[in-house]
PDB file of all heavy atoms in Angstrom:
ATOM      1  N   GLY A  36      50.508 -90.358  35.390  1.00  0.00           N
ATOM      2  CA  GLY A  36      50.639 -90.560  33.943  1.00  0.00           C
ATOM      3  C   GLY A  36      50.660 -89.232  33.235  1.00  0.00           C
ATOM      4  O   GLY A  36      50.234 -88.218  33.782  1.00  0.00           O
ATOM      5  N   PRO A  37      51.152 -89.225  31.992  1.00  0.00           N
ATOM      6  CA  PRO A  37      51.323 -87.972  31.257  1.00  0.00           C
ATOM      7  C   PRO A  37      50.008 -87.259  30.949  1.00  0.00           C
ATOM      8  O   PRO A  37      48.935 -87.862  31.046  1.00  0.00           O
ATOM      9  CB  PRO A  37      52.013 -88.402  29.951  1.00  0.00           C
ATOM     10  CG  PRO A  37      52.020 -89.885  29.937  1.00  0.00           C
ATOM     11  CD  PRO A  37      51.617 -90.404  31.263  1.00  0.00           C
ATOM     12  N   VAL A 201      50.144 -96.407  37.039  1.00  0.00           N
ATOM     13  CA  VAL A 201      50.675 -95.486  36.035  1.00  0.00           C
ATOM     14  C   VAL A 201      49.877 -95.718  34.761  1.00  0.00           C
ATOM     15  O   VAL A 201      49.819 -96.842  34.247  1.00  0.00           O
ATOM     16  CB  VAL A 201      52.184 -95.724  35.782  1.00  0.00           C
ATOM     17  CG1 VAL A 201      52.695 -94.759  34.723  1.00  0.00           C
ATOM     18  CG2 VAL A 201      52.971 -95.579  37.083  1.00  0.00           C
ATOM     19  N   VAL A 202      49.217 -94.656  34.293  1.00  0.00           N
ATOM     20  CA  VAL A 202      48.342 -94.744  33.124  1.00  0.00           C
ATOM     21  C   VAL A 202      49.046 -94.080  31.954  1.00  0.00           C
ATOM     22  O   VAL A 202      49.648 -93.015  32.097  1.00  0.00           O
ATOM     23  CB  VAL A 202      47.005 -94.016  33.404  1.00  0.00           C
ATOM     24  CG1 VAL A 202      46.085 -94.056  32.194  1.00  0.00           C
ATOM     25  CG2 VAL A 202      46.308 -94.633  34.613  1.00  0.00           C
ATOM     26  N   ASP A 203      48.993 -94.719  30.792  1.00  0.00           N
ATOM     27  CA  ASP A 203      49.550 -94.117  29.582  1.00  0.00           C
ATOM     28  C   ASP A 203      48.681 -94.552  28.412  1.00  0.00           C
ATOM     29  O   ASP A 203      48.352 -95.741  28.292  1.00  0.00           O
ATOM     30  CB  ASP A 203      51.006 -94.582  29.399  1.00  0.00           C
ATOM     31  CG  ASP A 203      51.772 -93.685  28.430  1.00  0.00           C
ATOM     32  OD1 ASP A 203      51.227 -92.659  27.990  1.00  0.00           O
ATOM     33  OD2 ASP A 203      52.926 -94.024  28.117  1.00  0.00           O
ATOM     34  N   ARG A 204      48.276 -93.617  27.593  1.00  0.00           N
ATOM     35  CA  ARG A 204      47.450 -93.893  26.409  1.00  0.00           C
ATOM     36  C   ARG A 204      46.242 -94.765  26.746  1.00  0.00           C
ATOM     37  O   ARG A 204      45.915 -95.709  26.033  1.00  0.00           O
ATOM     38  CB  ARG A 204      48.295 -94.558  25.321  1.00  0.00           C
ATOM     39  CG  ARG A 204      49.438 -93.668  24.830  1.00  0.00           C
ATOM     40  CD  ARG A 204      50.194 -94.340  23.692  1.00  0.00           C
ATOM     41  NE  ARG A 204      51.347 -93.551  23.296  1.00  0.00           N
ATOM     42  CZ  ARG A 204      52.563 -93.676  23.833  1.00  0.00           C
ATOM     43  NH1 ARG A 204      52.790 -94.578  24.782  1.00  0.00           N
ATOM     44  NH2 ARG A 204      53.544 -92.920  23.412  1.00  0.00           N
ATOM     45  N   VAL A 208      49.921 -99.073  32.652  1.00  0.00           N
ATOM     46  CA  VAL A 208      51.180 -99.696  32.234  1.00  0.00           C
ATOM     47  C   VAL A 208      51.942-100.280  33.417  1.00  0.00           C
ATOM     48  O   VAL A 208      52.837-101.104  33.229  1.00  0.00           O
ATOM     49  CB  VAL A 208      52.081 -98.727  31.425  1.00  0.00           C
ATOM     50  CG1 VAL A 208      51.412 -98.348  30.116  1.00  0.00           C
ATOM     51  CG2 VAL A 208      52.431 -97.469  32.225  1.00  0.00           C
ATOM     52  N   ALA A 209      51.596 -99.877  34.636  1.00  0.00           N
ATOM     53  CA  ALA A 209      52.212-100.470  35.822  1.00  0.00           C
ATOM     54  C   ALA A 209      51.332-100.173  37.013  1.00  0.00           C
ATOM     55  O   ALA A 209      50.699 -99.124  37.072  1.00  0.00           O
ATOM     56  CB  ALA A 209      53.606 -99.902  36.047  1.00  0.00           C
ATOM     57  N   ALA A 220      61.455-101.149  38.172  1.00  0.00           N
ATOM     58  CA  ALA A 220      62.169-100.328  37.182  1.00  0.00           C
ATOM     59  C   ALA A 220      63.656-100.210  37.523  1.00  0.00           C
ATOM     60  O   ALA A 220      64.398 -99.521  36.814  1.00  0.00           O
ATOM     61  CB  ALA A 220      61.533 -98.936  37.112  1.00  0.00           C
ATOM     62  N   GLU A 226      60.103 -91.133  40.773  1.00  0.00           N
ATOM     63  CA  GLU A 226      60.179 -90.288  39.567  1.00  0.00           C
ATOM     64  C   GLU A 226      60.996 -90.982  38.476  1.00  0.00           C
ATOM     65  O   GLU A 226      60.590 -91.031  37.311  1.00  0.00           O
ATOM     66  CB  GLU A 226      60.777 -88.934  39.919  1.00  0.00           C
ATOM     67  CG  GLU A 226      60.909 -88.041  38.696  1.00  0.00           C
ATOM     68  CD  GLU A 226      60.788 -86.569  39.028  1.00  0.00           C
ATOM     69  OE1 GLU A 226      59.726 -86.168  39.517  1.00  0.00           O
ATOM     70  OE2 GLU A 226      61.770 -85.842  38.803  1.00  0.00           O
ATOM     71  N   ASP A 227      62.145 -91.558  38.853  1.00  0.00           N
ATOM     72  CA  ASP A 227      62.945 -92.289  37.866  1.00  0.00           C
ATOM     73  C   ASP A 227      62.167 -93.492  37.336  1.00  0.00           C
ATOM     74  O   ASP A 227      62.185 -93.789  36.137  1.00  0.00           O
ATOM     75  CB  ASP A 227      64.259 -92.781  38.500  1.00  0.00           C
ATOM     76  CG  ASP A 227      65.239 -91.635  38.731  1.00  0.00           C
ATOM     77  OD1 ASP A 227      65.007 -90.543  38.180  1.00  0.00           O
ATOM     78  OD2 ASP A 227      66.211 -91.845  39.484  1.00  0.00           O
ATOM     79  N   ALA A 228      61.469 -94.200  38.251  1.00  0.00           N
ATOM     80  CA  ALA A 228      60.686 -95.370  37.840  1.00  0.00           C
ATOM     81  C   ALA A 228      59.604 -94.954  36.841  1.00  0.00           C
ATOM     82  O   ALA A 228      59.359 -95.633  35.846  1.00  0.00           O
ATOM     83  CB  ALA A 228      60.055 -96.036  39.056  1.00  0.00           C
ATOM     84  N   TYR A 229      58.980 -93.815  37.110  1.00  0.00           N
ATOM     85  CA  TYR A 229      57.918 -93.305  36.236  1.00  0.00           C
ATOM     86  C   TYR A 229      58.430 -93.131  34.808  1.00  0.00           C
ATOM     87  O   TYR A 229      57.784 -93.540  33.849  1.00  0.00           O
ATOM     88  CB  TYR A 229      57.407 -91.976  36.806  1.00  0.00           C
ATOM     89  CG  TYR A 229      56.458 -91.222  35.902  1.00  0.00           C
ATOM     90  CD1 TYR A 229      55.093 -91.481  35.939  1.00  0.00           C
ATOM     91  CD2 TYR A 229      56.924 -90.266  35.010  1.00  0.00           C
ATOM     92  CE1 TYR A 229      54.216 -90.800  35.113  1.00  0.00           C
ATOM     93  CE2 TYR A 229      56.057 -89.575  34.182  1.00  0.00           C
ATOM     94  CZ  TYR A 229      54.711 -89.843  34.237  1.00  0.00           C
ATOM     95  OH  TYR A 229      53.854 -89.175  33.405  1.00  0.00           O
ATOM     96  N   PHE A 230      59.606 -92.549  34.670  1.00  0.00           N
ATOM     97  CA  PHE A 230      60.142 -92.318  33.321  1.00  0.00           C
ATOM     98  C   PHE A 230      60.478 -93.637  32.641  1.00  0.00           C
ATOM     99  O   PHE A 230      60.242 -93.804  31.444  1.00  0.00           O
ATOM    100  CB  PHE A 230      61.358 -91.390  33.375  1.00  0.00           C
ATOM    101  CG  PHE A 230      60.986 -89.958  33.677  1.00  0.00           C
ATOM    102  CD1 PHE A 230      61.527 -89.295  34.764  1.00  0.00           C
ATOM    103  CD2 PHE A 230      60.069 -89.290  32.881  1.00  0.00           C
ATOM    104  CE1 PHE A 230      61.170 -87.983  35.052  1.00  0.00           C
ATOM    105  CE2 PHE A 230      59.702 -87.970  33.156  1.00  0.00           C
ATOM    106  CZ  PHE A 230      60.255 -87.321  34.241  1.00  0.00           C
ATOM    107  N   THR A 231      60.992 -94.584  33.409  1.00  0.00           N
ATOM    108  CA  THR A 231      61.298 -95.884  32.832  1.00  0.00           C
ATOM    109  C   THR A 231      60.007 -96.594  32.404  1.00  0.00           C
ATOM    110  O   THR A 231      59.908 -97.124  31.297  1.00  0.00           O
ATOM    111  CB  THR A 231      62.048 -96.761  33.868  1.00  0.00           C
ATOM    112  OG1 THR A 231      63.211 -96.064  34.292  1.00  0.00           O
ATOM    113  CG2 THR A 231      62.437 -98.101  33.264  1.00  0.00           C
ATOM    114  N   LEU A 232      58.991 -96.561  33.288  1.00  0.00           N
ATOM    115  CA  LEU A 232      57.758 -97.306  33.034  1.00  0.00           C
ATOM    116  C   LEU A 232      56.946 -96.718  31.884  1.00  0.00           C
ATOM    117  O   LEU A 232      56.257 -97.432  31.175  1.00  0.00           O
ATOM    118  CB  LEU A 232      56.903 -97.346  34.306  1.00  0.00           C
ATOM    119  CG  LEU A 232      57.511 -98.154  35.461  1.00  0.00           C
ATOM    120  CD1 LEU A 232      56.812 -97.833  36.770  1.00  0.00           C
ATOM    121  CD2 LEU A 232      57.435 -99.648  35.160  1.00  0.00           C
ATOM    122  N   THR A 233      57.008 -95.399  31.710  1.00  0.00           N
ATOM    123  CA  THR A 233      56.250 -94.776  30.627  1.00  0.00           C
ATOM    124  C   THR A 233      57.099 -94.619  29.374  1.00  0.00           C
ATOM    125  O   THR A 233      56.582 -94.232  28.326  1.00  0.00           O
ATOM    126  CB  THR A 233      55.716 -93.375  31.025  1.00  0.00           C
ATOM    127  OG1 THR A 233      56.811 -92.544  31.404  1.00  0.00           O
ATOM    128  CG2 THR A 233      54.727 -93.463  32.167  1.00  0.00           C
ATOM    129  N   GLY A 234      58.399 -94.912  29.482  1.00  0.00           N
ATOM    130  CA  GLY A 234      59.275 -94.780  28.315  1.00  0.00           C
ATOM    131  C   GLY A 234      59.442 -93.356  27.845  1.00  0.00           C
ATOM    132  O   GLY A 234      59.759 -93.101  26.699  1.00  0.00           O
ATOM    133  N   ARG A 235      59.176 -92.422  28.761  1.00  0.00           N
ATOM    134  CA  ARG A 235      59.319 -90.996  28.392  1.00  0.00           C
ATOM    135  C   ARG A 235      60.704 -90.518  28.756  1.00  0.00           C
ATOM    136  O   ARG A 235      61.322 -91.022  29.687  1.00  0.00           O
ATOM    137  CB  ARG A 235      58.309 -90.126  29.135  1.00  0.00           C
ATOM    138  CG  ARG A 235      56.882 -90.550  28.963  1.00  0.00           C
ATOM    139  CD  ARG A 235      56.358 -90.177  27.590  1.00  0.00           C
ATOM    140  NE  ARG A 235      55.188 -90.996  27.284  1.00  0.00           N
ATOM    141  CZ  ARG A 235      54.025 -90.499  26.889  1.00  0.00           C
ATOM    142  NH1 ARG A 235      53.874 -89.205  26.739  1.00  0.00           N
ATOM    143  NH2 ARG A 235      53.033 -91.306  26.621  1.00  0.00           N
ATOM    144  N   ALA A 236      61.132 -89.485  28.050  1.00  0.00           N
ATOM    145  CA  ALA A 236      62.417 -88.872  28.366  1.00  0.00           C
ATOM    146  C   ALA A 236      62.342 -88.308  29.777  1.00  0.00           C
ATOM    147  O   ALA A 236      61.387 -87.646  30.128  1.00  0.00           O
ATOM    148  CB  ALA A 236      62.728 -87.752  27.385  1.00  0.00           C
ATOM    149  N   GLY A 237      63.322 -88.608  30.582  1.00  0.00           N
ATOM    150  CA  GLY A 237      63.317 -88.098  31.951  1.00  0.00           C
ATOM    151  C   GLY A 237      64.603 -87.413  32.272  1.00  0.00           C
ATOM    152  O   GLY A 237      65.407 -87.111  31.399  1.00  0.00           O
ATOM    153  N   ALA A 238      64.741 -87.143  33.568  1.00  0.00           N
ATOM    154  CA  ALA A 238      65.942 -86.426  34.004  1.00  0.00           C
ATOM    155  C   ALA A 238      67.177 -87.286  33.782  1.00  0.00           C
ATOM    156  O   ALA A 238      67.103 -88.498  33.824  1.00  0.00           O
ATOM    157  CB  ALA A 238      65.803 -86.089  35.482  1.00  0.00           C
TER     158      ALA A 238
END
Side-chain angles (χ1 to χ4, degrees):
V201 179
V202 178
D203 198 6
R204 298 183 185 89
V208 295
E226 178 150 298
D227 287 347
Y229 171 87
F230 288 123
T231 304
L232 293 164
T233 58
R235 305 285 160 128

